[in-house]
Amino acid sequence: MSKTTTRLLGGDQEFVEDAEDRTLISTVVQAKVMATLGRPPGLFNVTVRRLWDNHYRVNVLIGSDPTTVRIAHSYFVVVGVKGEILSATPQINRLYV
């Protein structure tokens, strides 16, 4: 597995991550966003894409099948080393049960 060194936003610390680490962090970010937002009716999928360093785009997709899917919510998030959400734009609020 290839390893990359990533510099944390605003800090001098560095950490090494590999493909497994990125998958784990993406899973943690997805879980935290959904725990805060709640589960929208017709949830189809939640995508988490790493943009650079510790910056991610999270899209919450709804629709009954692939031909009707649309993005219901989209967030630009900055995460910490362990996947904790440091900031989100727009702010993630509880909208569903």
Side-chain angles (χ1 to χ4, degrees):
M1 262 183 252
S2 69
K3 298 213 178 232
T4 59
T5 302
T6 303
R7 185 169 300 283
L8 297 176
L9 182 69
D12 294 329
Q13 294 177 315
E14 292 184 349
F15 67 96
V16 176
E17 65 175 25
D18 58 24
E20 287 179 14
D21 292 337
R22 285 192 299 272
T23 300
L24 178 60
I25 289 174
S26 292
T27 302
V28 170
V29 169
Q30 177 181 339
K32 290 182 183 234
V33 167
M34 294 309 294
T36 304
L37 179 65
R39 185 181 178 89
L43 179 65
F44 185 79
N45 194 14
V46 178
T47 63
V48 178
R49 300 279 187 250
R50 181 176 182 219
L51 302 175
W52 69 89
D53 295 337
N54 56 341
H55 296 73
Y56 292 80
R57 170 61 66 186
V58 179
N59 290 322
V60 180
L61 308 171
I62 61 170
S64 57
D65 61 70
T67 63
T68 63
V69 168
R70 68 179 181 85
I71 298 173
H73 305 282
S74 186
Y75 302 100
F76 176 75
V77 298
V78 178
V79 301
V81 177
K82 296 180 182 174
E84 66 276 14
I85 296 175
L86 303 176
S87 68
T89 305
Q91 181 177 343
I92 305 169
N93 295 313
R94 182 78 169 178
L95 299 176
Y96 309 100
V97 179

